[in-house]
Amino acid sequence: HFRVRDVLAMIMVESSNGAVETLFKHVVKKNGIKLEESQKWFLELMSKKAESLGGVGMIFSTIDGADASENSAGAMGSAEAMLKIAGASLDSPLWQFGAIHKVISKEGLIYPLKPTNNLESEIPGLLGAKTGLTDLAGGNLIVVFEHPMGHPIGIVVLGSSEKGRFEDVKKIYAWIKSKNSL
């Protein structure tokens, strides 16, 4: 048994689809939504939240973002929409969950988290990051960092590879640093 905060950490750090499913079931039960209506209700909730944060045009067809089928993505959106959502949510504790490296169950079991983001030590001023990886979308990554301090900058990489997304962000980050140091 984990607290909601711990489940959110699993989602942000590990991109755990199982944790997404757990959170989904918790929210559905808490709101008294019928099982047959639950996925549609939750996807509408996701769409409304994304839109309220500036993510106009985001499309969700699965609750965890996994591909809906061999030919249909589970979520789609532009880099611009993702940056708007990130910018509008920077004050959210969600971005801080990336720094959590273990969670402890109510029973006292320690569950070490396996981060999908390996840039934590390579980007000074990192405020947060979120990875995504599906067969159709490839490797995706959004990072938000401060450079200089007090000036948040976001980078979005879409359609890369599992490892290439990190290399792509590092190249863009180096370019940004070189332009800001002149």
Side-chain angles (χ1 to χ4, degrees), residues 121-158:
S121 63
E122 296 193 41
I123 298 183
L126 185 69
L127 298 174
K130 182 67 185 92
T131 61
L133 178 67
T134 71
D135 290 339
L136 290 175
N140 302 295
L141 177 60
I142 183 169
V143 297
V144 180
F145 60 95
E146 290 183 318
H147 186 76
M149 290 299 280
H151 182 73
I153 297 175
I155 298 172
V156 177
V157 171
L158 302 174

Side-chain angles (χ1 to χ4, degrees), residues 2-169:
F2 292 99
R3 297 175 299 167
V4 169
R5 178 184 190 282
D6 296 332
V7 174
L8 289 168
M10 291 175 191
I11 293 168
M12 292 299 288
V13 174
E14 296 185 321
S15 288
S16 170
N17 290 350
V20 171
E21 183 72 23
T22 298
L23 182 64
F24 164 71
K25 288 177 181 176
H26 171 75
V27 171
V28 164
K29 183 178 179 181
K30 184 177 177 181
N31 285 278
I33 306 301
K34 294 178 184 174
L35 183 60
E36 60 274 6
E37 299 169 7
S38 61
Q39 187 162 341
K40 180 181 178 194
W41 173 81
F42 198 78
L43 292 171
E44 287 176 8
L45 195 65
M46 290 169 58
S47 293
K48 287 177 184 173
K49 185 62 176 183
E51 192 168 318
S52 76
L53 294 172
V56 178
M58 296 291 294
I59 299 169
F60 302 100
S61 55
T62 63
I63 61 168
D64 59 6
D67 293 334
S69 72
E70 191 176 294
N71 302 311
S72 180
M76 290 189 291
S78 68
E80 180 182 14
M82 292 174 67
L83 283 171
K84 285 183 178 181
I85 291 169
S89 66
L90 277 179
D91 291 336
S92 168
L94 276 177
W95 289 103
Q96 298 166 12
F97 290 154
I100 296 174
H101 298 285
K102 68 180 177 182
V103 294
I104 302 172
S105 72
K106 288 183 180 180
E107 296 79 16
L109 297 172
I110 298 171
Y111 180 79
L113 299 178
K114 300 166 198 80
T116 57
N117 171 29
N118 62 17
L119 295 177
E120 186 175 355
S121 63
E122 296 193 41
I123 298 183
L126 185 69
L127 298 174
K130 182 67 185 92
T131 61
L133 178 67
T134 71
D135 290 339
L136 290 175
N140 302 295
L141 177 60
I142 183 169
V143 297
V144 180
F145 60 95
E146 290 183 318
H147 186 76
M149 290 299 280
H151 182 73
I153 297 175
I155 298 172
V156 177
V157 171
L158 302 174
S160 188
S161 65
E162 184 172 3
K163 292 184 180 179
R165 58 190 167 172
F166 301 108
E167 295 305 315
D168 295 340
V169 164

